[in-house]
Amino acid sequence: MSQKKRNFLFTSESVTEGHPDKIADQISDAVLDAVLSQDAMGRVACETLVTTGLAMVAGEITTSAVLDYSEIVKLVRRLAEVRKAGHLPFLRPDGKSQVTVEYVDDRPARVDCVVISTQHSDSVSNREIHESIVKEVIQHVVPPTLLDSRTKFHINPTGRFVVGGPMGDAGLTGRKIIVDTYGGYSRHGGGALSGKDPTKVDRSACYMARYVAKNLVASGLARRAEVQLAYAIGVAEPVSVMVDTFETGMIPDEQMTDLVRALFSLTPRGIIESLDLRRPIYRRTAAYGHFGRSEPTFTWERSDKAEALRKAAAVRGAEVGAR
């Protein structure tokens, strides 16, 4: 199948672990991890609000675990206070970035613009911040082949950023769902992830959709794949499964969907068992994204179904040919 190629600019945003919304996400997931470490069958829907001198934790939690909630909140706030040793001691926990990539024929060709806003100490100059961020952060992370003389750098474009985190703004669980997932490049169901145990498909089905899509691409059956799973309350099987390969599939998308239904267990229970989700693994997901990570606990990043998909597609193709 041929794909219509496009040239376009696309921008994605990310925020640091010291951003107030991400502090709230980390607290909610720390509560979830604390419950699962004592009670693997615990049910958690935890929301957190943080602001200057206050952290409010609320939600619906059903568990036999006994938790010290205030101690958990001090633990996670400490993560944002402690800076890793590095070359830029003036940096502080809060910050965000935006990267605009120019695509040519649907493939990334160059970085058009990088925006970084970072909290910093009061003693550093704006010039030092700009020069240091470009050298030690941007040029260290972005491949040099994607940077050119036309790439624009905007470092702290609104001015000084000394007061940050909950001291500078309020934070709330679930307000960075696009940052958590694909930066807007893929469609989003709208539900937040952090603070929810894996029986909630807002979280676990997102992980399964990632797992399915990654295996479809790893199998060679498609160059791009987006998977939608839809559920109704009280109904175990998904009410719909859809695969969209954006015309890059080796077989029709309808056949791809049939393969997914046949090879993946898509009920909440099946997802939990397939991805081993009843473990205290979630606080790490609450900063720097839930997807595209290499840690072994991120089981939805495995591509261990790729070979089975290839074989099933070959068998199905042979059956269709025999008819």
Side-chain angles (χ1 to χ4, degrees):
M1 297 183 183
S2 62
Q3 182 191 23
K4 182 179 179 180
K5 295 181 178 180
R6 303 172 298 155
N7 301 342
F8 58 95
L9 296 174
F10 189 84
T11 302
S12 290
E13 180 187 68
S14 185
V15 298
T16 66
E17 65 193 45
H19 187 284
D21 291 332
K22 284 285 107 189
I23 291 177
D25 284 342
Q26 290 172 80
I27 291 172
S28 293
D29 273 338
V31 170
L32 172 59
D33 280 353
V35 169
L36 293 179
S37 65
Q38 298 182 44
D39 177 11
M41 303 302 290
R43 303 290 293 271
V44 177
C46 180
E47 310 290 344
T48 302
L49 166 69
V50 294
T51 188
T52 305
L54 174 68
M56 183 179 296
V57 179
E60 182 181 0
I61 300 177
T62 304
T63 181
S64 60
V66 179
L67 308 181
D68 185 339
Y69 292 94
S70 63
E71 183 62 26
I72 293 171
V73 175
K74 287 167 189 177
L75 173 63
V76 177
R77 183 167 56 194
R78 182 64 177 165
L79 290 176
E81 294 172 351
V82 176
R83 291 294 86 202
K84 299 173 183 177
H87 300 296
L88 306 179
F90 58 82
L91 292 184
R92 296 296 180 265
D94 199 354
K96 66 170 56 179
S97 67
Q98 287 180 305
V99 179
T100 301
V101 177
E102 181 178 347
Y103 284 73
V104 176
D105 292 340
D106 250 0
R107 294 180 180 273
R110 58 180 293 273
V111 170
D112 183 72
C113 182
V114 179
V115 182
I116 291 184
S117 296
T118 180
Q119 185 188 2
H120 55 82
S121 69
D122 196 26
S123 61
V124 67
S125 68
N126 291 350
R127 180 176 179 178
E128 183 180 357
I129 294 170
H130 187 283
E131 292 177 350
S132 299
I133 292 297
V134 170
K135 179 181 179 182
E136 300 292 343
V137 178
I138 298 174
Q139 293 179 346
H140 183 75
V141 172
V142 180
T145 54
L146 295 180
L147 299 175
D148 58 31
S149 60
R150 294 181 295 137
T151 302
K152 299 176 286 291
F153 302 128
H154 299 297
I155 313 300
N156 283 14
T158 59
R160 306 287 286 174
F161 186 2
V162 175
V163 178
M167 296 295 289
D169 196 3
L172 186 66
T173 299
R175 287 206 302 196
K176 288 292 180 285
I177 57 177
I178 298 302
V179 169
D180 284 341
T181 52
Y182 302 99
Y185 200 85
S186 292
R187 285 166 282 200
H188 196 291
L193 284 74
S194 288
K196 296 176 180 175
D197 73 78
T199 65
K200 278 75 170 174
V201 291
D202 279 350
R203 180 168 220 157
S204 56
C206 283
Y207 294 163
M208 178 54 82
R210 165 68 175 181
Y211 180 54
V212 172
K214 187 165 184 178
N215 276 275
L216 288 173
V217 173
S219 72
L221 295 178
R223 187 166 64 83
R224 295 174 60 194
E226 184 179 75
V227 176
Q228 182 194 72
L229 305 175
Y231 294 83
I233 295 176
V235 180
E237 292 288 343
V239 295
S240 72
V241 179
M242 184 184 75
V243 176
D244 186 352
T245 63
F246 306 94
E247 300 182 348
T248 69
M250 303 299 292
I251 61 176
D253 288 350
E254 294 79 8
Q255 292 183 27
M256 206 87 73
T257 299
D258 292 340
L259 291 178
V260 169
R261 282 189 176 274
L263 294 178
F264 294 86
S265 181
L266 301 177
T267 65
R269 179 176 180 177
I271 294 171
I272 290 170
E273 292 176 351
S274 297
L275 301 180
D276 194 14
L277 297 180
R278 288 197 184 277
R279 298 173 294 142
I281 59 174
Y282 297 102
R283 196 174 70 192
R284 285 189 176 184
T285 69
Y288 309 115
H290 294 243
F291 305 119
R293 306 276 292 271
S294 60
E295 295 92 326
T297 54
F298 287 62
T299 52
W300 47 94
E301 297 296 330
R302 300 180 307 199
S303 55
D304 53 341
K305 288 278 192 178
E307 182 61 26
L309 282 165
R310 278 193 294 269
K311 290 181 178 179
V315 170
R316 186 152 302 195
E319 291 174 349
V320 171
R323 294 173 192 162

